[in-house]
Amino acid sequence: MARTKTKHNHEIRQLSPHESAANGGHTASMTSGGCKDESADEDEVSTNLIIAFGVFMFIFSLFIYLQTAYPSLPGGDSGELTVTAKEFGVAHPPGYPLFTMFAYLVIHILPLGSPAFRVNLLSSVFGALTNSLLGVCLLKSTGKLSVSLIMCAMLGFSRLFWLWHITGEVFSLNNCLCMATLLFMYKYIHKSDPSEKLRTAYSLALLCGLAITNQHTSSLLVLPTAALVGYDLSGYKEVFTFRNTLGLTLAGFLPGLAYLQLPLASYLKTARVSWGDQTTFSGFMFHVLREDYGTLKLVKTEETGDVILNSKYLISDLHKELTISVLILAGIGLACPLWTRRRFYWISFLALNVVSYLGFFCSFANIKDISGLYHGVIERFWMQPCIYVVLLAGEGLNALLNISRLSKNMVLPVAFLIVALRVHSNYELCNRSENHDVENFGRHMLSIMPSHAILLTSGDLSTNTFRYLTVGEGVRPDIDVLDMSFMGSPWFIPIVGKHMPRVTFPGIGLVR
């Protein structure tokens, strides 16, 4: 049913299917309603402009990221993720099969630079896509290029996002999938035709399934998305059928087939670097549920997360990364439904995700002293709520611009200036194009080792660096790198030890 309008061009909110069931009505329960403000509808923004802006933001972001990307190994988990992908092995829990398969294709198809650089490039592509999707979502929501430009710059060229978008890690892909899910959720909320809602719901189901196959924190977005879409569709008898319900369920679970990469890689045993034995159901679930670290925990300790302390760290980091101005604009965005219900459901959905992330993740993050190295470990997980905050800030900035009634000719040049200043302010800090520190460290240490050495390691930096160089780039292939933390695991000798025939493992009968 189309929205009705008064002679003053104000929209009249219709009853939802749940509210109008007694009257036999079937109207959209999650469509925008209330007083129409001065901002443009998404229908008033041409599709060509939206596509052009999305392409521009992708190309611009990718250009900046490639100019500053690590030329070789960044450190951290990147070395392990790269070499397991190259060898088609299993990465650390929960396995990250989607990222592994993307990285495998890039490493073996793209004839450019080292394997580490190729995976860094892959992350840059996903990072640029994140910025592009964010810009498209804001342009559809606010109808203003200036708002989209400013918010893309504040998020995509913040120190946190910039550095992780040029590093071969799983977080850039997670940002991209979460932003794609949010964009389709915005489209879903603003659809009024039940059949169009259903088609969008299928896209959402596939995106949610893909997100889970990469990063488990995405479940904090997936679960509210699935719940709200399911509840909304239940009000439309013409589309809420058993067939469609089954189809949406299958669409959500279909991407989960990517997890078959884990038992397949474990069965083939071709990877010289791999983690765990997933050929049994118990071994598979042990890995997927992260029991090595502790299910629903960030690290394996008896301590529990401190929600209040972690929330303080999160708010402090949001302030540092996004600036106080963005946080104030996000607060204004949250208040928008107080004077216009036009974006009530969209803003409420974003607010719900901020609160749920604060509540759930901060209770799982069981690192008490988040300082130094541990701060670097946990700050990566703040990127997902940063996306919600920036979307809210876009709504707040849009509201202020509507009140001010500044002309586009005045605002747009200021927006481009803000983009330039944002990039300039963080460029030197995030420029890693000449950073070979980790690679040089690894090459030097390997160069002084005796011929056919057995190198015992412990810790991510040394282990991942040496394994990447010896296996990923063929530096000193005569050296065997053994991670001491794994050598007592029952899966180590049959999965990894078989690739080291000259090494004798004492007590081998005890672990078979």
Side-chain angles (χ1 to χ4, degrees):
M1 184 185 297
R3 297 177 189 145
T4 58
K5 297 185 179 180
T6 68
K7 62 182 179 180
H8 299 294
N9 199 38
H10 288 294
E11 294 179 341
I12 303 300
R13 180 180 178 271
Q14 299 180 24
L15 294 176
S16 73
H18 302 282
E19 295 170 324
S20 60
N23 298 324
H26 292 283
T27 58
S29 62
M30 294 177 65
T31 54
S32 54
C35 296
K36 184 177 178 68
D37 55 29
E38 297 297 324
S39 65
D41 259 324
E42 73 169 275
D43 292 335
E44 294 174 11
V45 181
S46 71
T47 302
N48 289 338
L49 176 60
I50 293 173
I51 294 174
F53 180 75
V55 171
F56 163 77
M57 186 52 62
F58 173 78
I59 294 174
F60 176 73
S61 301
L62 185 60
F63 175 77
I64 299 296
Y65 289 155
L66 293 183
Q67 290 291 314
T68 57
Y70 282 93
S72 58
L73 193 61
D77 293 330
S78 183
E80 180 228 354
L81 292 167
T82 300
V83 77
T84 52
K86 182 177 185 293
E87 298 264 300
F88 198 72
V90 177
H92 64 275
Y96 308 104
L98 185 63
F99 180 86
T100 299
M101 289 187 285
F102 273 127
Y104 177 88
L105 292 174
V106 167
I107 290 171
H108 290 278
I109 293 176
L110 188 66
L112 183 65
S114 66
F117 175 74
R118 296 172 201 177
V119 179
N120 296 339
L121 173 61
L122 178 66
S123 286
S124 295
V125 170
F126 288 133
L129 276 172
T130 302
N131 294 351
S132 175
L133 293 169
L134 173 68
V136 167
C137 188
L138 285 167
L139 188 55
K140 291 175 74 69
S141 172
T142 68
K144 293 182 174 62
L145 281 172
S146 55
V147 172
S148 301
L149 280 168
I150 291 171
M151 290 304 142
C152 284
M154 298 309 294
L155 185 80
F157 299 111
S158 64
R159 180 200 64 89
L160 181 62
F161 275 75
W162 194 334
L163 287 178
W164 288 105
H165 284 175
I166 59 174
T167 299
E169 261 273 18
V170 299
F171 295 96
S172 182
L173 176 56
N174 182 64
N175 294 339
C176 182
L177 291 172
C178 286
M179 190 58 243
T181 301
L182 288 165
L183 173 59
F184 274 84
M185 188 62 184
Y186 174 84
K187 293 176 65 176
Y188 178 88
I189 289 173
H190 291 81
K191 297 289 185 184
S192 57
D193 181 73
S195 60
E196 291 182 359
K197 278 182 170 285
L198 181 64
R199 285 194 293 270
T200 308
Y202 271 104
S203 299
L204 276 168
L206 288 169
L207 284 169
C208 288
L210 284 172
I212 293 295
T213 64
N214 179 63
Q215 181 86 7
H216 282 184
T217 53
S218 62
S219 62
L220 298 177
L221 170 62
V222 168
L223 292 177
T225 299
L228 291 176
V229 170
Y231 174 76
D232 184 60
L233 284 179
S234 67
Y236 298 94
K237 293 182 180 180
E238 61 268 43
V239 297
F240 191 67
T241 63
F242 175 77
R243 179 179 178 180
N244 288 333
T245 303
L246 179 62
L248 287 170
T249 303
L250 292 176
F253 280 96
L254 182 64
L257 293 175
Y259 273 107
L260 293 178
Q261 185 267 335
L262 275 60
L264 177 61
S266 188
Y267 172 78
L268 293 174
K269 297 182 176 68
T270 57
R272 288 169 286 178
V273 178
S274 196
W275 186 314
D277 181 4
Q278 295 81 36
T279 55
T280 65
F281 181 75
S282 59
F284 174 80
M285 294 305 298
F286 186 90
H287 198 79
V288 172
L289 295 177
R290 302 178 66 256
E291 292 188 36
D292 272 317
Y293 299 132
T295 303
L296 300 182
K297 292 182 179 180
L298 197 58
V299 293
K300 194 168 187 177
T301 68
E302 296 302 320
E303 296 179 336
T304 57
D306 188 326
V307 177
I308 296 177
L309 179 62
N310 287 333
S311 297
K312 289 181 179 178
Y313 277 116
L314 172 56
I315 294 171
S316 174
D317 282 352
L318 288 174
H319 173 226
K320 180 176 67 176
E321 297 296 338
L322 300 179
T323 74
I324 188 65
S325 301
V326 171
L327 296 185
I328 292 173
L329 288 172
I332 296 173
L334 279 172
C336 282
L338 295 178
W339 64 80
T340 172
R341 295 184 58 86
R342 184 173 180 272
R343 294 185 176 86
F344 174 80
Y345 295 107
W346 172 236
I347 293 174
S348 299
F349 179 73
L350 294 175
L352 171 66
N353 278 284
V354 172
V355 172
S356 66
Y357 203 94
L358 277 170
F360 286 97
F361 181 79
C362 289
S363 65
F364 300 152
N366 57 335
I367 299 177
K368 292 296 183 182
D369 181 19
I370 306 178
S371 60
L373 175 64
Y374 288 114
H375 180 262
V377 170
I378 201 170
E379 72 170 357
R380 305 171 297 175
F381 297 97
W382 298 153
M383 288 189 281
Q384 193 169 320
C386 277
I387 296 174
Y388 311 143
V389 171
V390 166
L391 286 169
L392 286 169
E395 297 293 339
L397 179 58
N398 178 56
L400 291 182
L401 290 175
N402 290 335
I403 294 171
S404 68
R405 299 182 181 276
L406 294 173
S407 67
K408 292 181 180 179
N409 294 335
M410 182 183 300
V411 176
L412 200 55
V414 174
F416 278 107
L417 178 61
I418 291 174
V419 172
L421 290 173
R422 183 65 163 172
V423 173
H424 176 74
S425 65
N426 284 326
Y427 191 91
E428 185 176 353
L429 175 64
C430 297
N431 184 8
R432 304 303 166 96
S433 60
E434 301 297 328
N435 190 320
H436 294 268
D437 293 346
V438 175
E439 180 189 15
N440 290 341
F441 156 74
R443 287 181 180 273
H444 173 72
M445 294 300 296
L446 291 174
S447 69
I448 63 176
M449 295 293 165
S451 178
H452 300 286
I454 297 174
L455 184 56
L456 302 178
T457 63
S458 180
D460 288 347
L461 178 60
S462 58
T463 301
N464 293 340
T465 300
F466 298 147
R467 290 195 302 186
Y468 166 75
L469 288 172
T470 56
V471 177
E473 293 196 18
V475 177
R476 292 298 303 272
D478 59 302
I479 295 177
D480 288 316
V481 180
L482 296 178
D483 187 346
M484 291 188 293
S485 61
F486 290 154
M487 289 176 65
S489 302
W491 55 265
F492 181 80
I493 295 173
I495 300 293
V496 178
K498 62 168 289 190
H499 296 290
M500 304 174 183
R502 67 188 184 86
V503 180
T504 301
F505 295 95
I508 189 171
L510 299 177
V511 297
R512 274 183 172 172

